[in-house]
Amino acid sequence: MPAAVAGPEIERLIQLLARLPGLGPRSARRAALHLIKKREALMTPLSSALQVAIDKIEVCRTCGNIDTQNPCTVCTDLRRDPAIIVVVADVADLWALERAHAVNGFYHVLGATLSPLDGVGPQDLSIDALIARAHDPNVTEIILALNATVDGQTTAHYITDLLHDANVKVTRLAHGVPVGGELDYLDEGTLAAAMRQRTLF
């Protein structure tokens, strides 16, 4: 077993950083060392920002986005088109579409996709709230911007069935999104093209 090269506090910092997506043990050690070297410039402001995030970030009661205000910044933006609701599985997908400036509507975050193998059923997603929002007379289109995976498409079919009595057009992203692809990993150009070429579901 390798000998520890730093005290338990530093080792704990490395272990916590290694839990972040995209950071393995080596990257976590480099990041920790960088933070320690730049304590005043990086570590102190980061610590403060993390505490503020813990205290102030909430889940939007309207769409499921995360923000420091409730309803969130997106839901309170009066420049958006109230006729469009874009359905996404996760907040990361909402942020990806916003980075691409692909649509100017509102969003609805499901929280996940249906996945019987993982024990995720309809009761675990915010589908009921989506159906209620779809019955608002101002809403004319529901865009299903779900991952092109088996679980994503199963969820899209399930939601489409539930929307049969709502007076809305149900569309999905065009096939510019690769099969098996996840929205958060796509470039902005692909996302924007897929949104422009959406089709009836």
Side-chain angles (χ1 to χ4, degrees), residues 88-90 93 110-116 118-122 124-125 127 145-156 159:
V88 293
D90 191 72
D93 301 331
L110 295 173
T113 51
L114 295 173
S115 180
D118 296 322
V120 180
D124 301 309
L125 309 180
I127 294 176
L146 300 171
N147 292 329
T149 60
V150 172
D151 290 344
Q153 295 310 297
T154 300
T155 307
I159 290 170

Side-chain angles (χ1 to χ4, degrees), residues 1 6 9 12-13 18 30 45 60 65 69 72 84 91 96 100 121 128 131 139 150 152 169 180 185:
M1 184 163 176
E9 297 84 4
R12 174 77 173 142
L13 175 62
R30 282 196 297 274
C60 176
N65 188 18
Q69 66 181 50
C72 71
I84 298 173
V91 172
D128 291 342
I131 303 307
V139 177
V150 172
K169 176 172 68 171
Y185 294 101

